[in-house]
Amino acid sequence: MAPTLTLKPGTAWSDAWQRCQAVAPEAFGDDRVLNLWASVWKADGRALPATSPIDGSPIAGPPRLDAPTAGQAVRASLDQHRAWRHVPLPERRARVAATLDALTAHRELLALLLVWEIGKPWRLAQADVDRAIDGVRWYVDGIEPMLADRAPLSGPVSNIASWNYPMSVLVHAMLVQALAGNAVIAKTPTDGGVACLTLASALAAREGIPVTLLSGSGSELSSSLVRSPEIGCVSFVGGRDTGARIATAVADLGKRHILEQEGLNTWGIWNYTDWPTLTSLIPKLFDYGKQRCTAYPRFVVQRTLFDEFLAAYLPAVRSIRTGHPLAVEHPEDPLPALDFGPLINAAKAKELADQVGEAIDRGAVPLHRGSLADARFLPGQDTSAYLPPVTLLNPPPSSPLHHAEPFGPVDTIVLVDTEAELLAAMNASNGALVATLSTDDPSTYERLAPQIRSFKVGHGKPRSRGDRDELFGGFGASWRGAFVGGELLIRSVTEGPKDERLPGNFPDYHLMP
């Protein structure tokens, strides 16, 4: 009989909220967060109700602004930018370093907010905070040569990012952009992360970092955050549909842009025998339920190796651990070590479950369908946002699972007989951010890897977005604009020599680093 679980003491949403009010009372009201613009926290906007994906309980929602107010905020950010760009670099470094110290002091609270708002297990939530802090420190320590002969942009950087990595992607980018001499604007993701971003922004604003934090619908705020002449650069992380609309707008305006979009990241298996290594990697590929831009939801497998692949894959996928990220058997127990918790919301879980059902109805073969029966839940809790791992063979071309990233714990497998078929299947989405080819022969890898349309290609191991000096970008429709990472992140948000061609994927050229 499974043990009865309880919420670990001190980790309730009410506990986290009270701690936020104690740390940053200027940003947290009794039941809502505030927007930050013109260096003032403002109780404007219409606060929407929100629920935690963990158990469906109410949490703080985004206080959505209207377009005119967002326009005022952008103009105020330009005033901040014009002052900040003249602040000497040593002072900017000191203020960003002080912000990092403050984030470090409140690391566990930031991570707890991520658990409640976007359902990250404790280990992954802490890693998200740590990667933001450690990554920005790398820039603080080595920024001088990166800024040689470069100047801040003409206006602030507008950041529009998805909900899945509020700290290691969004806050990291904002602080590096500010270190380079720019004021920064961020729109809180609609689906989650508003309290975590509010706390991080409050800590940064206290140190004098020119941060603007706004909530609102993308369609309502797009004219201000994308098209405003005051904006010096648009940085976007999200889906292809929204990214394409932003790409059209910035191209028309000739505006600097960094648009990271999704792609179907694939893992190819060809003339391969190291199955124990693959088995050890499979659970890691399910981190956070594959709700990340560098997840691998598609395996392209040589048909003659399919039986050996399944023998390595299925035991690993059956070992995946999911459940309530804060549920423990005894109050003194550590928080559980889960591979993932809920999806971002119940609607996404239902959408993906429906896609799986439709794909099977149209001919996909279910190789594995997990169950929530053994998952770790509190008695009687809402589990509508949870989806166990699913693996399908040969999703039909009519299914979204055939050509698009599911952004959830669903793997699809495609069988191939020739190298040409392998490459065609691995390039199904017109560009990807990462890919991997598992093959025993190094010469085969060296010959095939350049033909895979992915910015990063691993040899038998997963690739990630990367930290510090590792570059990042995408091929095809997975990326538009300047590439980032390492020195390229600084170059993407600063002005260099006249007629400089930044490495990136632009409408009129593609330049690799």
Side-chain angles (χ1 to χ4, degrees):
M1 180 177 179
T4 300
L5 303 180
T6 186
L7 188 69
K8 185 172 178 65
T11 66
W13 172 255
S14 58
D15 297 321
W17 190 261
Q18 290 170 10
R19 291 169 64 185
C20 288
Q21 288 181 307
V23 172
E26 69 274 22
F28 290 84
D30 289 339
D31 58 356
R32 61 171 288 169
V33 296
L34 281 65
N35 290 296
L36 171 62
W37 58 276
S39 302
V40 177
W41 290 96
K42 302 174 185 286
D44 50 11
R46 182 168 60 94
L48 296 183
T51 57
S52 170
I54 289 180
D55 60 3
S57 60
I59 60 174
R64 298 175 64 158
L65 295 176
D66 55 24
T69 306
Q72 294 179 49
V74 169
R75 289 188 289 274
S77 181
L78 178 62
D79 293 337
Q80 290 180 308
H81 179 82
R82 287 170 171 166
W84 179 252
R85 64 178 300 171
H86 297 296
V87 172
L89 178 57
E91 183 176 344
R92 298 203 305 265
R93 286 182 62 189
R95 293 188 184 187
V96 173
T99 301
L100 297 178
D101 291 342
L103 294 175
T104 301
H106 299 289
R107 167 183 180 264
E108 291 198 353
L109 176 55
L110 290 162
L112 183 58
L113 292 171
L114 291 179
V115 174
W116 278 108
E117 293 192 283
I118 61 175
K120 282 200 170 181
W122 182 242
R123 171 181 61 87
L124 298 178
Q126 289 178 300
D128 193 15
V129 177
D130 292 343
R131 285 183 62 188
I133 295 169
D134 296 342
V136 178
R137 283 199 195 280
W138 182 84
Y139 283 95
V140 170
D141 292 340
I143 189 65
E144 287 92 342
M146 300 184 202
L147 285 176
D149 301 318
R150 304 193 70 82
L153 299 173
S154 61
V157 182
S158 176
N159 294 274
I160 304 169
S162 58
W163 44 264
N164 52 343
Y165 284 91
M167 292 295 298
S168 62
V169 173
L170 182 50
V171 171
H172 176 278
M174 292 163 60
L175 292 179
V176 175
Q177 293 159 6
L179 181 64
N182 304 291
V184 294
I185 303 169
K187 186 183 95 63
T188 63
T190 303
D191 287 328
V194 61
C196 179
L197 286 169
T198 299
L199 179 58
S201 297
L203 297 174
R206 285 183 178 179
E207 303 300 337
I209 305 296
V211 176
T212 295
L213 185 67
L214 309 175
S215 292
S217 70
S219 58
E220 181 81 5
L221 302 190
S222 177
S223 60
S224 299
L225 300 184
V226 175
R227 294 182 172 274
S228 290
E230 294 89 348
I231 298 296
C233 175
V234 177
S235 178
F236 168 82
V237 179
R240 288 192 177 186
D241 291 343
T242 302
R245 290 192 292 271
I246 293 177
T248 299
V250 295
D252 291 345
L253 299 169
K255 195 183 293 292
R256 183 76 63 89
H257 57 285
I258 307 160
L259 310 181
E260 176 186 331
Q261 302 170 163
E262 63 190 13
L264 184 61
N265 305 318
T266 57
W267 192 300
I269 307 287
W270 190 261
N271 292 340
Y272 180 70
T273 60
D274 188 8
W275 302 113
T277 293
L278 182 66
T279 298
S280 69
L281 291 172
I282 295 300
K284 297 183 177 69
L285 302 184
F286 276 88
D287 273 358
Y288 196 35
K290 302 205 172 194
Q291 296 178 105
R292 48 198 174 90
C293 63
T294 54
Y296 286 83
R298 166 69 50 81
F299 287 89
V300 181
V301 181
Q302 188 176 3
R303 190 182 304 273
T304 56
L305 298 179
F306 185 46
D307 58 335
E308 296 175 78
F309 171 82
L310 282 184
Y313 173 89
L314 288 176
V317 77
R318 289 170 182 148
S319 73
I320 299 299
R321 300 156 299 176
T322 188
H324 192 306
L326 303 173
V328 294
E329 185 176 353
H330 305 106
E332 67 276 11
D333 289 348
L335 290 171
L338 304 174
D339 295 295
F340 64 92
L343 300 192
I344 186 59
N345 52 49
K348 176 62 181 179
K350 182 180 185 304
E351 173 192 289
L352 201 48
D354 289 346
Q355 289 179 0
V356 167
E358 291 172 3
I360 293 172
D361 289 343
R362 296 173 184 175
V365 179
L367 298 176
H368 172 73
R369 279 188 277 191
S371 169
L372 296 179
D374 297 326
R376 296 173 55 90
F377 294 125
L378 300 180
Q381 77 161 81
D382 184 330
T383 62
S384 58
Y386 292 79
L387 184 73
V390 177
T391 307
L392 301 179
L393 175 66
N394 290 336
S398 59
S399 168
L401 298 175
H402 178 79
H403 55 78
E405 182 180 16
F407 232 64
V410 176
D411 278 346
T412 57
I413 300 172
V414 173
L415 303 182
V416 295
D417 297 298
T418 67
E419 290 184 355
E421 288 180 302
L422 174 81
L423 292 171
M426 292 189 73
N427 292 329
S429 68
N430 183 27
L433 302 174
V434 296
T436 290
L437 178 60
S438 289
T439 182
D440 292 345
D441 182 17
S443 63
T444 299
Y445 174 82
E446 295 298 328
R447 178 167 48 82
L448 296 180
Q451 301 178 66
I452 299 171
R453 289 187 51 77
S454 171
F455 189 81
K456 295 181 180 181
V457 181
H459 187 184
K461 60 183 180 181
R463 298 303 307 272
S464 68
R465 203 175 193 275
D467 296 299
R468 303 182 181 187
D469 59 351
E470 190 170 356
L471 309 181
F472 193 56
F475 274 103
S478 67
W479 195 283
R480 300 173 192 266
F483 295 148
V484 296
E487 182 184 2
L488 292 190
L489 177 52
I490 298 298
R491 291 174 65 183
S492 70
V493 294
T494 55
E495 298 286 355
K498 186 179 180 181
D499 300 325
E500 176 184 42
R501 285 163 59 92
L502 294 174
N505 186 19
F506 293 92
D508 55 343
Y509 74 89
H510 180 96
L511 178 63
M512 290 297 292

